[in-house]
Amino acid sequence: MTPDEHVARIAARQHGLFTLPQALAVGLSPTTVTDRLHAGRLHRLEPQVYRIAGAPDSWHQRLLRACMAEGGVASHRAAASLFELDGFPPRVVEVTVRRWERRVNQSVRVHESTDLIDTHRQERRGIPVTTIERTLIDLGAVVPRVKVEQGFDDALRRGLTTPELVRDRFLTVARRGRRGVGVIRPLLDRRLGTSGPRPGEFERRTARLLVAGGVQEPVFEYEVRLPSGLFVARVDLAYPPALLAIECDSDRWRNGRQRRQADLERQNRLILAGWTLLRFTWDHLIDEPHLVLAQVRGALDLATV
């Protein structure tokens, strides 16, 4: 394979781009690169970044070009676009570089970071990018909270991350004065509680709400069985005489396709066994406790009619 063919292969993986060090590494000389430029076979986009003639311009190419030119990674809104998060179309070219490595470039939004380490980076569609956890934290510095939550919910819904993983990354980068951490913190608290996930806390808090509202305390971790003794399902909370089950969906954000399918099959088994199933999230408990209480009361009232 000739040096030109090697370069063409590299560019094919990089949205039509290659760097001068990459070309030199496969045997293309500086003189040959200059000759290809004069012949119109190459276009120089940055001091050491080139595009193969005829390669179509695209947002992905412009983003990778910025990463190559700045020696950084796609971040913030650009990273959210690479992960195809809801509400972040591929428009902004935005990269992060290590502190003191930034150069003047008016066409690119460049951020400096003192804590951009290898574990905060990955590759997506051939472009270096901050991990989804780092991306969600960084977004708070450049977009309103509602947009961060929109992207956060989409990432959780699609199984790209979990609240626990985002919290773990948050704890490694959070510091007083860091832009964005004040946005992601309450979003994590809403899903994990202020001290992180505590086994059974969701269920205990739901039971306390019901008791405080004048409803009898439910049974915890109840096994639903048919009259024959055949196991149907284990539920978080239950009112067995009323055939009412309550599920506290604390992990619904990280459900993948197989888990969702198993949940649906389990729900169908309960319904076929004659049970009513109510499902609540942490957001329901925190933001709409009156709704949780009213729906449980309503289900119990229906069961006694």
Side-chain angles (χ1 to χ4, degrees):
M1 186 180 300
T2 67
D4 283 307
E5 290 171 332
H6 275 296
V7 169
R9 281 200 173 190
I10 292 171
R13 299 193 300 268
Q14 297 181 164
H15 306 280
L17 304 180
F18 67 93
T19 65
L20 181 59
Q22 288 176 327
L24 298 180
V26 296
L28 211 61
S29 69
T31 300
T32 304
V33 171
T34 301
D35 290 342
R36 302 292 184 266
L37 282 171
H38 290 160
R41 294 172 59 181
L42 302 177
H43 300 291
R44 189 171 71 171
L45 306 179
E46 302 284 351
Q48 294 200 31
V49 181
Y50 298 82
R51 180 175 64 201
I52 299 291
D57 179 59
S58 68
W59 174 80
H60 288 91
Q61 185 187 97
R62 294 193 295 274
L63 182 57
L64 179 57
R65 167 185 169 180
C67 292
M68 288 176 166
E70 304 299 329
V73 298
S75 65
H76 297 73
R77 286 159 290 192
S81 301
L82 270 180
F83 285 108
E84 300 177 350
L85 296 184
D86 187 28
F88 292 91
R91 294 174 183 165
V92 179
V93 174
E94 198 163 14
V95 301
T96 291
V97 300
R98 290 187 173 90
R99 179 65 63 87
W100 316 123
E101 295 182 6
R102 179 178 181 176
R103 70 187 184 98
V104 177
N105 189 334
Q106 300 298 329
S107 64
V108 178
R109 291 179 174 87
V110 181
H111 302 270
E112 290 182 310
S113 174
T114 59
D115 53 21
L116 183 63
I117 58 178
D118 288 344
T119 56
H120 295 185
R121 306 161 59 120
Q122 65 177 88
E123 186 175 289
R124 190 171 179 88
R125 299 198 65 172
I127 301 173
V129 61
T130 51
T131 62
I132 185 63
E133 294 81 21
R134 173 69 186 255
T135 297
L136 291 169
I137 295 167
D138 287 345
L139 278 176
V142 293
V143 298
R145 173 178 170 175
V146 64
K147 290 281 290 181
V148 178
E149 186 160 21
Q150 183 179 358
F152 192 13
D153 286 349
D154 187 43
L156 298 176
R157 191 163 45 241
R158 290 164 52 203
L160 297 179
T161 188
T162 68
E164 290 84 357
L165 288 174
V166 177
R167 181 204 57 198
D168 290 346
R169 176 61 63 229
F170 172 81
L171 293 176
T172 66
V173 301
R175 64 177 185 276
R176 185 182 299 275
R178 180 189 175 93
R179 295 181 63 196
V181 297
V183 174
I184 198 69
R185 189 193 304 273
L187 301 183
L188 289 169
D189 289 348
R190 286 162 63 90
R191 289 156 178 80
L192 298 171
T194 57
S195 299
R198 297 182 292 273
E201 175 62 19
F202 193 169
E203 292 83 353
R204 290 193 296 272
R205 189 160 178 171
T206 302
R208 289 198 298 270
L209 169 69
L210 297 174
V211 172
V215 179
Q216 180 182 355
E217 185 175 14
V219 178
F220 288 76
E221 292 293 319
Y222 183 77
E223 285 192 359
V224 177
R225 294 183 179 272
L226 297 177
S228 64
L230 183 64
F231 176 79
V232 176
R234 180 188 294 273
V235 297
D236 294 330
L237 303 171
Y239 291 95
L243 300 183
L244 173 62
I246 300 172
E247 283 291 271
C248 299
D249 286 340
S250 58
D251 66 346
R252 76 181 178 95
W253 301 103
R254 57 177 177 269
N255 286 354
R257 184 182 64 81
Q258 291 183 333
R259 178 63 185 273
R260 287 196 300 271
Q261 184 169 331
D263 281 348
L264 289 174
E265 292 173 355
R266 180 169 167 274
Q267 180 172 313
N268 290 343
R269 292 199 304 270
L270 284 166
I271 293 172
L272 290 173
W275 281 67
T276 296
L277 175 63
L278 296 179
R279 305 183 71 166
F280 301 111
T281 66
W282 183 260
D283 285 353
H284 286 134
L285 185 63
I286 299 303
D287 296 336
E288 302 179 285
H290 58 284
L291 176 66
V292 175
L293 185 59
Q295 291 189 350
V296 173
R297 279 177 172 166
L300 290 173
D301 288 344
L302 286 174
T304 59
V305 173

